[in-house]
């Protein structure tokens, strides 16, 4: 009986190890600039080579940052809570999807992310570096039906509410015309530009390397931690 239990424990360990090698989740408590604590969930899938970071902000907005490393594409999806003044017949959120190219140095790889562990899951984290505000001018609308040409994951990420979804892309950027801001426009039929601002309070933006000596006394570099950052994004899009 003891041998059977021992074998089952070994089998369970192997299964858990295989699962964690392909799909792992990290939950991080992050203090924002206002002093409030937001809980981020970061999931890494090494088989698909993707990362998903999600959190619920204090105003009720749900933010998802999805990275498709194979396609070099990232998606910022935002659920904006329903507001009565929007004139919607049902209390449902508006879904915004912002699609941009992914830079290799913006986030650690899915493989490195899957290996991260927390010694103290209840600790409140603060980033080491603030990368400031990135401005993206989004001048293309992406058809959900053809979005697989950009990434096979876009359809499912941005399709939750088709009638209230806007999917803007900066995968191909062109020089935008001088168009008035929507807040300064009284003619609802006239084209205008809107802005949406969001911040990600904590994420692994790079790896740290240390120097040491191997068994033969040779100096070697080895991975010894992660660098964490904060970033804000300003999306300017047509409405």
């Amino acid at each position: 009986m003891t041998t059977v239990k021992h074998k089952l424990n070994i089998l369970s360990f192997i299964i858990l190890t295989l699962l964690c090698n392909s799909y792992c989740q990290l939950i991080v408590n992050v203090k924002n600039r206002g002093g409030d604590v937001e809980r981020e969930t970061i999931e890494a899938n090494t088989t698909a080579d993707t990362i998903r970071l999600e959190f619920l902000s204090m105003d009720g907005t749900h933010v998802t940052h999805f990275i498709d490393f194979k396609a070099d594409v990232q998606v910022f999806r935002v659920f904006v809570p329903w507001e009565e003044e929007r004139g919607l017949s049902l209390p449902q959120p508006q879904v915004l999807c912002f699609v941009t190219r992914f830079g290799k140095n913006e986030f650690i790889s899915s493989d490195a992310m899957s290996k991260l562990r927390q010694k103290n899951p209840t600790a409140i984290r603060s980033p080491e570096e603030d990368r400031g505000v990135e401005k993206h001018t989004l001048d293309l609308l992406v058809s959900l039906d053809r979005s697989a040409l950009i990434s096979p994951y876009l359809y499912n990420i941005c399709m939750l509410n088709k009638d209230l979804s806007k999917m803007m892309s900066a995968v191909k950027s062109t020089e935008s015309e001088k168009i008035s801001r929507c807040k300064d426009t009284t003619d609802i039929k006239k084209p205008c530009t809107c802005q949406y601002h969001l911040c990600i309070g904590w994420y692994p933006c790079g790896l740290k390397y240390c120097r040491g000596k191997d068994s033969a006394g040779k100096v070697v570099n080895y991975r010894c931690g992660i660098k964490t950052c904060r970033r804000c994004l300003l999306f300017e899009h047509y409405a």
Side-chain angles (χ1 to χ4, degrees), residues 26-31 40 42 53 105-108 112-113 116-118 123-132 200-209 224-232:
L26 193 70
I27 298 176
V28 184
N29 299 307
V30 182
K31 180 178 289 188
E40 291 183 1
I42 310 176
L53 182 153
N105 296 324
E106 293 185 57
F107 212 106
I108 64 173
M113 186 69 226
L116 293 186
R117 302 291 182 269
Q118 285 198 92
I124 298 176
R125 309 292 178 181
S126 296
E128 300 170 82
E129 178 185 330
D130 191 333
R131 292 194 166 180
I200 298 176
W202 187 98
Y203 68 99
C205 54
L207 299 174
K208 292 180 179 179
Y209 291 89
C224 57
I226 60 169
K227 178 182 178 181
T228 60
C229 294
R230 178 184 190 272
R231 69 191 299 195
C232 292

Side-chain angles (χ1 to χ4, degrees), residues 13-224:
F13 175 76
I14 293 173
I15 293 173
L16 287 173
T17 301
L18 290 173
L19 286 174
C20 200
N21 283 339
S22 62
Y23 178 86
C24 274
Q25 183 185 83
L26 193 70
I27 298 176
V28 184
N29 299 307
V30 182
K31 180 178 289 188
N32 62 24
R33 283 184 171 177
D36 297 313
V37 177
E38 297 172 339
R39 174 169 289 189
E40 291 183 1
T41 300
I42 310 176
E43 300 172 351
N45 188 323
T46 57
T47 303
D49 203 6
T50 61
I51 284 179
R52 180 190 294 262
L53 182 153
E54 293 187 301
F55 66 92
L56 183 67
S57 63
M58 300 305 296
D59 63 359
T61 302
H62 188 274
V63 178
T64 299
H65 179 202
F66 184 88
I67 303 171
D68 180 355
F69 288 92
K70 292 180 180 179
D72 292 330
V73 168
Q74 58 186 336
V75 186
F76 298 90
R77 184 188 68 189
V78 183
F79 286 170
V80 183
W82 174 81
E83 295 177 6
E84 187 175 356
E85 58 266 24
R86 287 197 178 127
L88 302 177
S89 57
L90 294 174
Q92 49 191 334
Q94 183 181 22
V95 183
L96 300 175
C97 275
F98 304 106
V99 186
T100 70
R101 283 292 182 192
F102 173 72
K104 294 297 184 183
N105 296 324
E106 293 185 57
F107 212 106
I108 64 173
S109 68
S110 61
D111 179 67
M113 186 69 226
S114 69
K115 292 179 172 62
L116 293 186
R117 302 291 182 269
Q118 285 198 92
K119 293 182 179 179
N120 184 5
T122 61
I124 298 176
R125 309 292 178 181
S126 296
E128 300 170 82
E129 178 185 330
D130 191 333
R131 292 194 166 180
V133 181
E134 308 165 24
K135 183 177 179 181
H136 296 269
T137 300
L138 309 176
D139 52 4
L140 297 175
L141 287 176
V142 177
S143 170
L144 281 173
D145 294 332
R146 298 183 179 181
S147 61
L149 295 172
I150 300 174
S151 169
Y153 304 101
L154 292 189
Y155 189 91
N156 288 333
I157 294 172
C158 300
M159 185 53 188
L160 295 179
N161 192 341
K162 190 172 183 180
D163 294 336
L164 296 174
S165 293
K166 286 187 178 179
M167 189 173 178
M168 279 73 64
S169 172
V171 171
K172 178 182 177 183
S173 182
T174 59
E175 192 68 28
S176 60
E177 302 175 3
K178 294 293 182 180
I179 299 178
S180 302
R181 297 277 181 88
C182 292
K183 65 178 182 178
D184 301 325
T185 303
T186 55
D187 187 355
I188 60 174
K189 296 182 179 180
K190 187 177 180 180
C192 59
T193 60
C194 292
Q195 290 186 339
Y196 192 87
H197 182 269
L198 68 87
C199 291
I200 298 176
W202 187 98
Y203 68 99
C205 54
L207 299 174
K208 292 180 179 179
Y209 291 89
C210 299
R211 303 192 78 180
K213 292 183 179 181
D214 61 14
S215 57
K218 183 180 178 180
V219 177
V220 294
N221 293 326
Y222 62 94
R223 193 166 66 188
C224 57

